[in-house]
Amino acid sequence: MISPSPSPSNLVTGGFPTPHPGVSLLLSFSFSKPSCLNSQPAPFYILGSGPLAAQRAFAALEADASVVILGKGGLENACEELRWRVNHRQVDWVDLDNAMGYHNIALDAPKSDMDDDALALDNYFSNLPSSVIPKFLCITDTLLSTATRRSRASAISIYTLCHARNMSVNTTDYSDLCDFSFATTYRFLDSLASPSSHSTFPSFTQVSTSGGALQIAVTTNGQGCRLASRIKREIVTRLPRNLGQAVGNVGRMRALAKERDQNPNLAQTSSSTNISVAEELGEIDPCVDTETASTPNLPVPQRPSRTHSSTKADSLDIGNESVAERTRRRMKWVAQISEYWPFEKLAAMTERDMKRYLEDECVEQEEGPFTTSVDSQFSCPATTKNKFPISPVLPPTSIHSIFPSPPTPAKPGQILLIGSGPGHPSLLTVAAHRALTELADIVLADKLVPAAVLELIPSKVEVVIARKFPGNADRAQQEMMERAVKEARKGKCVVRLKQGDPAIYGRFGEEMLYFRNPPPFSPSTADFPPLPPTLVIPGVSSALAAPTMRQSLEMPKYERARTVVILMGVARLKSVVKALIASGKDDGDYPSHLPIAIIERASMPDQRVVESTLEDIECAMESAEVGAQRPPGMMVVGWSVPALWGDGNVNVLDGGSDDVEGGESVRNRASETVERGFPEEERKTTLLKNVEMQTAEDIGRVRNWLGNGVRWRVREGLAPAWDMFNINI
């Protein structure tokens, strides 16, 4: 018999794994104050006042830290985000220029070896109240890419000072001067609907309901920070979209498992001892976040079955089960649910479901905070003599239950707006081909779609050709849109097939808005739920070709009806914005409130869209919310950016006080007063008035698009409907 070769991790006597130093001890750290302590946690100090300092401050604020920014030159020299947070009292500001001098204390390093900033920090820390003991300092102004980078000698001086004070330090871009590091992280939402889309808060405001409890962190331990960010995105895109909601539901379920027994009106001491419930509950939490928890399948004594003669009093004390024992059992049930149930089911749980899953005896449904009604379809057929239904061992709605679950609601339909490409079937996109040959239940095609493309559609799929004959184009368009909505409401996959690309002479914007909010066709359809978002599949898969930027940067003049698309220019965003806005006084200058969208990693699972205005887009891209760029990226500038948001904003080129037909400049329109014989002074007055009116209405459009007081919006990922086109290689 040949013994297997020992693995590298089992070369120590006894078979225990051998540690291989060189990585980090990963901890999840929170600054929230424990309820058992009266003292406040020490603040988190950040040295520097640039965009990186703002990112670190945001991360610390989400961990419930009290943040203090240590800067120089006054608050006016700090980045815009930090100024906003200081002015709104989210973080504190300390100007080191006002903290010069030092307090006589014993340090390992002589005072003469310390630079001015280290002396200022020494003085500041020495004069803090005795109850405040500094623990952490993050040095951010040593970033390699900054023009005013702190010298290494200064960083060493500050690092030495902090070590003398038993403070842990992180020094950006100096790994040897770091006691801790920041992993690249992602925080999942507790709900799939992001509040930022409709938030009325400023962009810097952290809405408490937007973030969930689930975070993931990736570190390469200094070997590739940019690679760590990419790895994080790859992990996020492969996890279920509603994973954060599943974690939130399990957390709420854990709270419900303890709530009833910790209720003062219900809590009791153990029947056999005088130990309090709180003390018993403190022994173990089977759902604790650790890899060394005991197995959830450890054998336990079986609970007695309920008999028809059981009384309510008997059922509450089966086997002399104490309150704490009952809670521990419920917590073990939560651990079982966490271990075995699909993420989709965890995410879909309602509070009513959670309570029902945790009920050990149905009679308890009448008591306290767990009172709930159970529909007849969930009830067991047998009842006790007291008319209480008998619970099976598993909840009636468990995925393992022998009892039927409630009827699953009909699957909502889906509308796909697809372009048929240049014409030849071989030039269809893969997504368009799959939609036509595998997914479609009905195809509503324009009359110009080539017959060769229509022949790909299986014979079992109904094909309807639009009756866009002379004089009937608008009516035929309405017929197709109404038919699409009616079929989708039946749960069908409706393919709206157009020649070429839907966005080019395809009226796709009109159809998108119609499908999003269709009018009621009759009183019986007024209460229909909204359809899933319409998915637009382009007619071509190749990228656009455009000249690259060299030394000079020339932009086309501003025209109200024009949309400018800039490829591969995000790295030169500052120069692009400067070239577009220019002085803001000439006819061809772009208004600073003009909408812009930066689309990164377009059509990929980690796609990100940052929407803002020309005057705020730089600040948005430097904010903690956006963080690192994700090349490749493209910029879309113009009034088409907000055109399809919400209920639509498609009247930007309509005639009226704000615009003129065809997007003609207001200045050109005002010049007509000269041809009509108006005096020069009156012409200038009319021009100024029209410009002011148009600017005011345009700013109102932007406010309606982004939200009152919101300066940018960040949207992550693709629409869920794209999942049906995933290709497994």
Side-chain angles (χ1 to χ4, degrees):
M1 179 176 179
I2 301 176
S3 301
S5 301
S7 65
S9 61
N10 283 332
L11 296 180
V12 176
T13 303
F16 297 108
T18 302
H20 300 281
V23 296
S24 302
L25 176 63
L26 300 181
L27 306 173
S28 56
F29 192 88
S30 174
F31 288 83
S32 58
K33 183 183 72 173
S35 57
C36 60
L37 298 179
N38 294 324
S39 60
Q40 293 289 339
F44 187 81
Y45 294 97
I46 299 175
L47 181 59
S49 55
L52 178 59
Q55 293 181 26
R56 298 292 189 242
F58 181 80
L61 288 172
E62 289 212 313
D64 298 312
S66 174
V67 179
V68 177
I69 305 296
L70 305 168
K72 298 182 67 177
L75 184 58
E76 61 273 12
N77 287 330
C79 71
E80 185 177 358
E81 181 170 350
L82 283 181
R83 293 200 304 270
W84 189 92
R85 294 198 185 280
V86 171
N87 292 332
H88 287 76
R89 299 184 178 180
Q90 293 187 4
V91 301
D92 294 325
W93 170 265
V94 173
D95 196 328
L96 289 183
D97 290 338
N98 300 327
M100 292 304 295
Y102 57 87
H103 189 273
N104 290 324
I105 61 171
L107 291 175
D108 292 341
K111 300 288 185 179
S112 58
D113 294 339
M114 299 168 60
D115 71 350
D116 290 343
D117 287 349
L119 291 172
L121 284 172
D122 178 25
N123 182 67
Y124 171 74
F125 290 143
S126 298
N127 287 281
L128 290 173
S130 58
S131 59
V132 178
I133 303 176
K135 296 293 183 63
F136 300 98
L137 176 67
C138 179
I139 306 175
T140 63
D141 53 6
T142 52
L143 190 65
L144 278 171
S145 58
T146 55
T148 57
R149 187 190 187 198
R150 179 179 298 278
S151 68
R152 178 174 175 84
S154 176
I156 292 175
S157 181
I158 295 173
Y159 182 80
T160 304
L161 164 71
C162 292
H163 263 237
R165 292 181 170 275
N166 294 319
M167 294 177 62
S168 297
V169 182
N170 171 271
T171 309
T172 303
D173 286 337
Y174 286 125
S175 58
D176 60 322
L177 301 180
C178 291
D179 302 310
F180 65 94
S181 61
F182 289 87
T184 177
T185 63
Y186 181 84
R187 185 178 185 184
F188 287 80
L189 298 179
D190 198 356
S191 173
L192 290 181
S194 173
S196 61
S197 301
H198 309 285
S199 174
T200 57
F201 292 89
S203 296
F204 293 143
T205 302
Q206 171 64 19
V207 183
S208 60
T209 58
S210 65
L214 177 61
Q215 290 177 279
I216 62 170
V218 176
T219 178
T220 56
N221 290 295
Q223 301 304 303
C225 298
R226 190 74 197 183
L227 182 59
S229 180
R230 176 185 171 188
I231 294 171
K232 174 200 67 177
R233 297 200 308 269
E234 293 288 337
I235 292 173
V236 170
T237 57
R238 282 165 170 73
L239 292 174
R241 296 174 183 270
N242 53 5
L243 191 58
Q245 194 169 1
V247 173
N249 281 344
V250 170
R252 285 183 280 274
M253 198 173 189
R254 291 177 62 189
L256 287 171
K258 299 178 181 180
E259 176 184 340
R260 182 183 186 280
D261 296 332
Q262 291 183 341
N263 189 318
N265 298 324
L266 298 173
Q268 305 169 7
T269 57
S270 172
S271 58
S272 58
T273 68
N274 198 29
I275 302 176
S276 68
V277 174
E279 291 174 343
E280 290 193 66
L281 291 180
E283 295 176 5
I284 186 172
D285 183 348
C287 294
V288 69
D289 291 333
T290 177
E291 296 181 359
T292 58
S294 59
T295 171
N297 293 319
L298 197 65
V300 296
Q302 291 296 306
R303 302 174 61 240
S305 300
R306 176 192 286 275
T307 64
H308 288 273
S309 60
S310 298
T311 64
K312 180 177 179 180
D314 294 335
S315 66
L316 290 175
D317 195 29
I318 294 180
N320 294 322
E321 188 179 47
S322 71
V323 173
E325 290 170 341
R326 193 157 56 242
T327 294
R328 276 198 295 271
R329 172 174 46 75
R330 290 196 182 108
M331 292 298 292
K332 290 181 180 179
W333 285 7
V334 174
Q336 289 279 314
I337 290 173
S338 302
E339 182 73 23
Y340 296 113
W341 284 22
F343 292 134
E344 292 291 335
K345 185 171 181 64
L346 293 176
M349 286 192 302
T350 65
E351 184 173 339
R352 182 170 177 241
D353 294 333
M354 299 176 199
K355 292 176 180 178
R356 186 163 53 248
Y357 299 153
L358 292 172
E359 288 304 323
D360 52 319
E361 304 296 340
C362 289
V363 296
E364 298 182 13
Q365 294 171 359
E366 290 193 337
E367 295 188 10
F370 277 78
T371 299
T372 180
S373 60
V374 182
D375 295 339
S376 59
Q377 64 210 32
F378 296 116
S379 302
C380 309
T383 60
T384 66
K385 66 178 182 179
N386 294 326
K387 304 301 182 183
F388 296 119
I390 300 175
S391 291
V393 175
L394 292 171
T397 53
S398 165
I399 59 173
H400 307 292
S401 177
I402 62 174
F403 297 96
S405 298
T408 302
K411 178 183 177 182
Q414 176 71 56
I415 300 177
L416 305 177
L417 197 56
I418 294 179
S420 61
H424 197 281
S426 65
L427 299 179
L428 284 170
T429 63
V430 173
H433 187 275
R434 183 176 183 187
L436 291 173
T437 59
E438 300 178 27
L439 302 177
D441 295 314
I442 181 172
V443 176
L444 307 177
D446 281 349
K447 68 176 184 179
L448 296 178
V449 174
V453 173
L454 296 179
E455 290 174 359
L456 296 175
I457 304 172
S459 58
K460 65 179 181 180
V461 177
E462 182 182 2
V463 179
V464 179
I465 307 296
R467 301 186 302 166
K468 291 189 176 182
F469 310 132
N472 194 54
D474 289 343
R475 178 174 292 184
Q477 176 72 13
Q478 188 69 21
E479 289 175 354
M480 298 297 270
M481 293 191 299
E482 290 180 359
R483 181 71 182 272
V485 171
K486 290 178 180 178
E487 297 295 339
R489 283 175 171 170
K490 297 177 183 178
K492 295 183 179 180
C493 179
V494 181
V495 171
R496 180 70 177 95
L497 184 62
K498 293 177 171 290
Q499 167 63 1
D501 190 279
I504 302 177
Y505 302 112
R507 302 177 73 169
F508 95 104
E510 175 185 343
E511 297 192 22
M512 286 275 291
L513 295 176
Y514 184 92
F515 297 150
R516 186 178 298 163
N517 188 23
F521 305 132
S522 65
S524 62
T525 63
D527 296 330
F528 270 98
L531 294 170
T534 301
L535 198 63
V536 180
I537 300 177
V540 293
S541 58
S542 61
L544 296 175
T548 58
M549 297 180 183
R550 298 297 182 183
Q551 296 300 323
S552 60
L553 186 59
E554 296 182 4
M555 291 294 176
K557 298 296 183 182
Y558 172 67
E559 291 184 15
R560 193 169 179 79
R562 172 187 287 165
T563 296
V564 178
V565 179
I566 305 167
L567 305 180
M568 307 298 289
V570 179
R572 301 183 64 182
L573 178 61
K574 186 174 182 178
S575 300
V576 170
V577 171
K578 183 178 180 180
L580 291 172
I581 297 179
S583 65
K585 299 178 181 179
D586 298 333
D587 283 358
D589 293 343
Y590 289 63
S592 60
H593 55 264
L594 189 67
I596 177 175
I598 292 181
I599 306 170
E600 300 173 299
R601 304 274 298 162
S603 80
M604 300 302 293
D606 57 342
Q607 172 183 289
R608 180 171 65 185
V609 180
V610 182
E611 298 165 309
S612 185
T613 59
L614 287 177
E615 64 181 337
D616 288 327
I617 189 63
E618 291 180 70
C619 188
M621 295 302 291
E622 292 178 351
S623 69
E625 184 178 7
V626 174
Q629 294 182 10
R630 300 179 188 175
M634 62 184 293
M635 291 177 272
V636 182
V637 184
W639 289 109
S640 64
V641 173
L644 297 182
W645 179 261
D647 294 332
N649 187 1
V650 295
N651 62 345
V652 72
L653 300 181
D654 293 346
S657 62
D658 57 331
D659 315 294
V660 294
E661 186 176 357
E664 183 184 6
S665 170
V666 170
R667 294 177 174 86
N668 295 337
R669 177 68 178 268
S671 66
E672 295 178 4
T673 58
V674 176
E675 300 176 2
R676 298 175 184 175
F678 289 99
E680 178 70 15
E681 193 65 31
E682 186 172 343
R683 186 190 72 83
K684 292 182 178 179
T685 302
T686 302
L687 170 64
L688 181 60
K689 181 179 179 181
N690 285 345
V691 170
E692 290 176 348
M693 291 178 61
Q694 179 173 296
T695 299
E697 294 193 16
D698 285 347
I699 291 175
R701 283 191 174 91
V702 172
R703 188 179 297 115
N704 292 334
W705 166 53
L706 288 176
N708 191 17
V710 179
R711 299 169 57 193
W712 61 78
R713 179 192 300 116
V714 180
R715 290 187 285 152
E716 296 267 4
L718 297 174
W722 279 107
D723 291 345
M724 70 177 75
F725 296 103
N726 288 340
I727 299 177
N728 297 321
I729 300 177

